[in-house]
């Protein structure tokens, strides 16, 4: 009879530990999304979206505010909704280097409101919708989002910089990769200022590394 040593016993348990971490699909996560995070949608609305998509039908519902909401994209790891004319919602399942609540993924949510000067809020949750104290705001700075053209005076560039804030931005998750794009929003600007702001605002892409988003 063979007796397992302490070392072999530990090694034999490693695969079991890895197997304990599970993966979710976007359909599963979206079905259990709390109503408080989608005030436009009821649980029946969310289930209808999935049924429509699975049936290759237009995924459009009448929301609880008697408006129209649409599911634009649904994959195993990504979802995009147009909740109203001025509000969109994106979800993406991001892989993590260490399991969180026994899952190999977390949920990144981007809610964007506004039309002319949209603003986004980026939040993170476990797959069971417990909020995580994570942020994307520390992953970039003003210098990553504004670039002075060679033909613009430094004084004018500083003036334009004062019109924006690094915490007021539009974010967009990629449907195909673990990336997020950030672009500053501009407020209270004249027509001439908006033209110059368009010249200095740049789109910055960040890539997920299993723990946070990074510039690349």
């Amino acid at each position: 009879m063979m007796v397992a040593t302490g070392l072999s016993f530990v090694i034999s348990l490693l695969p079991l530990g890895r197997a304990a971490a599970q993966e979710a699909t976007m359909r599963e996560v979206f079905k259990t999304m709390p109503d408080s995070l989608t005030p436009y949608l009821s649980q029946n609305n969310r289930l209808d979206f999935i049924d429509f998509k699975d049936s290759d039908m237009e995924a459009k519902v009448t929301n609880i505010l008697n408006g129209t909401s649409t599911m634009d994209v649904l994959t195993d790891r990504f979802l995009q909704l147009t909740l109203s004319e001025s509000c969109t919602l994106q979800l993406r399942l991001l892989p993590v280097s260490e399991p969180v609540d026994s899952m190999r993924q977390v949920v990144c949510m981007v809610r964007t409101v506004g039309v002319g000067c949209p603003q986004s809020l980026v939040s993170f949750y476990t797959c069971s919708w417990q909020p995580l104290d994570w942020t994307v705001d520390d992953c970039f700075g003003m210098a990553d989002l504004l670039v002075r053209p060679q033909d613009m005076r430094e004084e004018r560039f500083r003036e334009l910089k004062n019109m924006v804030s690094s915490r007021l931005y539009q974010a967009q998750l990629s449907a195909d990769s673990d990336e997020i794009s950030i672009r500053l929003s501009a407020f209270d600007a004249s027509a001439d200022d908006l033209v110059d702001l368009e010249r200095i605002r740049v789109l910055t892409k960040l890539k997920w590394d299993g723990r946070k988003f990074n510039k690349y």
Side-chain angles (χ1 to χ4, degrees), residues 41-115:
L41 304 175
S42 66
Q43 184 178 22
N44 286 337
N45 287 152
R46 295 196 299 274
L47 295 177
D48 285 343
F49 273 146
I50 294 174
D51 288 342
F52 290 150
K53 278 294 185 182
D54 289 342
S55 301
D56 292 326
M57 299 171 61
E58 183 181 22
K60 184 178 291 187
V61 301
T62 299
N63 59 46
I64 60 178
L65 299 180
N66 291 321
T68 298
S69 297
T70 305
M71 177 178 279
D72 306 305
V73 182
L74 175 63
T75 69
D76 285 344
R77 294 183 55 200
F78 178 81
L79 175 152
Q80 179 171 306
L81 301 173
T82 299
L83 297 174
S84 71
E85 292 181 356
S86 59
C87 183
T88 61
L89 182 74
Q90 292 182 315
L91 303 176
R92 185 164 182 85
L93 292 173
L94 298 172
V96 286
S97 52
E98 296 291 337
V100 177
D101 274 2
S102 300
M103 301 298 290
R104 294 191 180 118
Q105 302 142 307
V106 294
V107 182
C108 181
M109 181 174 75
V110 175
R111 186 190 303 273
T112 302
V113 297
V115 178

Side-chain angles (χ1 to χ4, degrees), residues 7 15 50 89 96 102 119 121 132 145:
L7 178 60
I50 294 174
L89 182 74
V96 286
S102 300
Q119 296 182 62
L121 177 65
L132 294 169
L145 303 173

Side-chain angles (χ1 to χ4, degrees), residues 141-149 152-168 184-189 192-202:
M142 189 74 80
D144 303 309
L145 303 173
L146 296 176
V147 174
R148 181 175 68 89
M152 179 178 288
R153 292 179 293 108
E154 181 65 35
E155 180 182 358
R156 176 57 172 162
F157 182 62
R158 287 197 300 269
E159 180 183 1
L160 293 169
K161 284 177 62 176
N162 291 332
M163 298 179 187
V164 296
S165 166
S166 62
R167 297 300 172 256
L168 298 176
L184 287 180
S185 298
F187 294 87
D188 300 327
D192 289 341
D193 288 337
L194 283 174
V195 171
D196 282 345
L197 282 169
E198 285 302 306
R199 297 181 60 205
I200 69 172
R201 289 190 296 166
V202 295

